[in-house]
Amino acid sequence: DTEVTQTPKHLVMGMTNKKSLKCEQHMGHRAMYWYKQKAKKPPELMFVYSYEKLSINESVPSRFSPECPNSSLLNLHLHALQPEDSALYLCASSQVLPPDTQYFGPGTRLTVL
Amino acid sequence: AQSVAQPEDQVNVAEGNPLTVKCTYSVSGNPYLFWYVQYPNRGLQFLLKYITGDNLVKGSYGFEAEFNKSQTSFHLKKPSALVSDSALYFCAVSLTGFQKLVFGTGTRLLVSP
């Protein structure tokens, strides 16, 4: 089973709200990723976790805060977002870091009002 | 720096005809190459990858890709297109020890009945 799940599927939030995106995998993968994707564009890497430690932060604004509570879970905490942050947020996981195949979840469609 | 180019924004093909989606890469080392497909409002689905060995790689849903080192290409092919193959296709590259997967800009495939 190569399933990565993400909740919620859709999220609408105001600029003063605090919300969280959740991602879960039960494939025993030790690397997990957050990507941001705008319409008709490729995914942009935001964060990489390897063995539950933050490995890469692609200069993402501090209003995005990742968390990896255990090897199966990855969260993305959102606070004081801007309308330009509206996008599809994708989670992925892989056995270890690239070049192992990354498996993607269905994404959370975020709209910031 | 590693990069991937997908020279065609859109490829149009009639159902039943062969299809090709082009990808060229630029890396300083031996590349690991991937193809992903994305249907509207969905995550990326893994199709196939090249790591080493046979230059012709077979993947999911009847897709295959040919690794050509001299032309630095990794074109995606399918002998007979289906309307349901209509989607956005991404080529991606990585390297051993390189923690990122670098995506091309994507090619929209439109298969007409």
Side-chain angles (χ1 to χ4, degrees), chain A:
Chain A
D1 185 11
T2 55
E3 187 178 27
V4 176
T5 59
Q6 290 186 242
T7 56
K9 290 185 178 180
H10 301 276
L11 179 61
V12 179
M13 58 187 292
M15 289 190 285
T16 58
N17 292 156
K18 287 186 179 181
K19 296 286 185 183
S20 296
L21 310 185
K22 296 185 183 301
C23 173
E24 189 168 8
Q25 56 88 14
H26 294 289
M27 296 177 279
H29 289 173
R30 302 313 300 269
M32 296 186 77
Y33 313 79
W34 279 115
Y35 288 87
K36 173 183 178 180
Q37 187 182 27
K38 291 283 198 178
K40 301 182 182 180
K41 298 292 186 183
E44 300 171 28
L45 183 65
M46 301 174 72
F47 302 103
V48 180
Y49 273 82
S50 175
Y51 293 88
E52 295 112 71
K53 294 190 188 306
L54 184 63
S55 177
I56 291 178
N57 177 338
E58 288 286 271
S59 301
V60 179
S62 60
R63 57 186 185 268
F64 295 91
S65 175
E67 178 195 20
C68 190
N70 60 56
S71 60
S72 299
L73 292 173
L74 186 66
N75 298 322
L76 185 63
H77 302 297
L78 313 172
H79 173 56
L81 295 192
Q82 303 298 310
E84 60 265 28
D85 297 322
S86 298
L88 182 68
Y89 287 83
L90 295 166
C91 173
S93 71
S94 66
Q95 196 64 255
V96 289
L97 292 171
D100 282 351
T101 303
Q102 292 185 31
Y103 294 94
F104 286 78
T108 293
R109 174 71 61 188
L110 174 67
T111 302
V112 182
L113 301 176

Side-chain angles (χ1 to χ4, degrees), chain B residues 34-51:
Chain B
F34 302 79
W35 276 103
Y36 286 86
V37 60
Q38 186 175 31
Y39 296 96
N41 298 311
R42 301 289 296 276
L44 276 68
Q45 294 180 29
F46 168 70
L47 281 178
L48 52 81
K49 70 178 176 184
Y50 171 83
I51 296 180

Side-chain angles (χ1 to χ4, degrees), chain A residues 55-56 96-100, chain B residues 2 30-32 94-101:
Chain A
S55 177
I56 291 178
V96 289
L97 292 171
D100 282 351
Chain B
Q2 285 62 239
N30 293 319
Y32 298 93
S94 188
L95 295 169
T96 301
F98 188 60
Q99 294 186 328
K100 301 178 187 179
L101 191 59

